[in-house]
């Protein structure tokens, strides 16, 4: 099944992301982060949760890998969609649920 959040549409079976009518070229890690956050839309996901889900191990306190991927993801989403990907200070990230 597809996941839709505002102008974003994720097609998990094909690992594709569409922003309106344009397909986004994401790395595997960027896609995984976006899918995980989209499935948890409205809920803050901690960096530790993200790291554990993506790397299947605990993160080092000095690793900022997730933050770098999120920054790249925001750049690729562009101004209008990047605002949906929110930083929850001191916690992690959250996708703002789309307003219906």
């Amino acid at each position: 099944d597809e996941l839709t959040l505002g102008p974003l549409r994720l097609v998990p079976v094909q690992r594709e992301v569409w922003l309106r009518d344009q397909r986004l070229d994401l790395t595997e890690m960027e896609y995984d982060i976006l899918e995980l956050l989209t499935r948890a839309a409205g809920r803050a996901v901690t960096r530790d949760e993200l790291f554990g889900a993506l790397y299947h191990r605990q993160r080092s306190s000095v690793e900022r890998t997730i933050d770098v991927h999120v920054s790249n993801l925001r750049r690729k989403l562009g101004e209008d969609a990047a605002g949906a990907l929110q930083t929850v200070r001191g916690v992690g990230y959250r996708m703002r649920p789309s307003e219906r």
Side-chain angles (χ1 to χ4, degrees):
D1 285 346
E2 293 183 358
L3 302 170
T4 304
L5 191 63
L8 284 173
R9 183 170 52 94
L10 282 74
V11 186
V13 172
Q14 297 169 332
R15 295 184 60 83
E16 291 181 349
V17 176
W18 295 82
L19 179 60
R20 293 181 176 68
D21 294 330
Q22 183 178 359
R23 186 176 181 270
L24 299 181
D25 185 25
L26 302 182
T27 66
E28 281 187 49
M29 190 62 61
E30 291 165 351
Y31 176 85
D32 289 342
I33 290 169
L34 187 60
E35 182 179 352
L36 199 143
L37 291 173
T38 300
R39 289 186 185 279
R43 179 178 74 82
V45 179
T46 68
R47 285 180 180 84
D48 287 338
E49 282 180 84
L50 284 167
F51 202 87
L54 301 170
Y55 292 101
H56 308 293
R57 62 183 173 89
Q58 284 208 280
R59 74 178 174 103
S60 160
S61 61
V62 297
E63 283 192 75
R64 302 301 289 188
T65 308
I66 298 295
D67 299 331
V68 172
H69 288 298
V70 168
S71 177
N72 292 336
L73 188 53
R74 281 188 173 126
R75 182 179 43 79
K76 290 179 180 183
L77 290 173
E79 282 185 35
D80 58 342
L85 179 46
Q86 303 172 324
T87 298
V88 180
R89 194 177 181 126
V91 177
Y93 299 98
R94 159 180 58 221
M95 287 299 285
R96 184 179 63 225
S98 57
E99 296 155 2
R100 304 206 183 253

